[in-house]
Amino acid sequence: DQCHVTSDTVAKIGKIIGTSVDLNVNKLRVPADSRRMILASVERVLMRQNDTTRDEILQELRNSLFEGQEFASRTEEPMTWEQISEMAAHGIRFGAHTCSHPNLSHVDLETAEREIVESKRIIEGRLGAEVSGFAYPYGYDVAGYRRFRPILEKHGFHYACTSWCGH
C-alpha cells in the first residue's frame, strides 16, 4: 500500500519553508505506516502560516497521502465538560485558549479579542470560576503576541503563556 505525493503539493511546501524541496515526486513512494509522520512534520512547519494557507496545503497532502481512504486527523478526544468540571472540583484551574484556535499572528485585533473573550466567557459560565490565564494557540510568536497584552489586561487575564520555554 503506497501513495504518490504530487509535485504541486511538494512545490507549495517548499515555497513556504523557503527552500526548494528536491524530490523526484514521480518516484516518491511513501509506505502507509510513514504517512502520519510525514503529515505531522509538515503540520509543524505550516503552523506559522495563516489558517487558510495551512489548511489548504494540509488538505492536499492528506488527499495525496490517504487517497481513497478515510482520514481521521486525531486519535485523541478532547475532554468533556463533565471531565473538566470534575477536575475543577478537585482544584484544577482552567484558562482560555480561543474558541476556534486561529493563528493569532494572522488575525486582526478585533477577531483576536472576540476569540479570546468568548473562550473566557464560555469556560467561566460552565465552571462558575474566574479564568485568569490564557494560552496562545500555536504559541511560537513570542514577540508578536505582545500586541494582545492590552486585550488580555482589559478582560481580566493575569497571565498568558506560549509553548516556548520561558515565555
Side-chain angles (χ1 to χ4, degrees), residues 42 56 58 68 76 82 90 131 157-158:
V42 172
E56 285 174 1
L58 286 175
E76 66 274 346
E82 182 180 337
H90 287 90
V131 169
F157 288 94
H158 299 256

Side-chain angles (χ1 to χ4, degrees), residues 90-107:
H90 287 90
I92 304 294
R93 295 177 62 188
F94 289 85
H97 188 61
T98 69
C99 289
S100 67
H101 205 263
N103 186 333
L104 294 178
S105 297
H106 299 285
V107 300

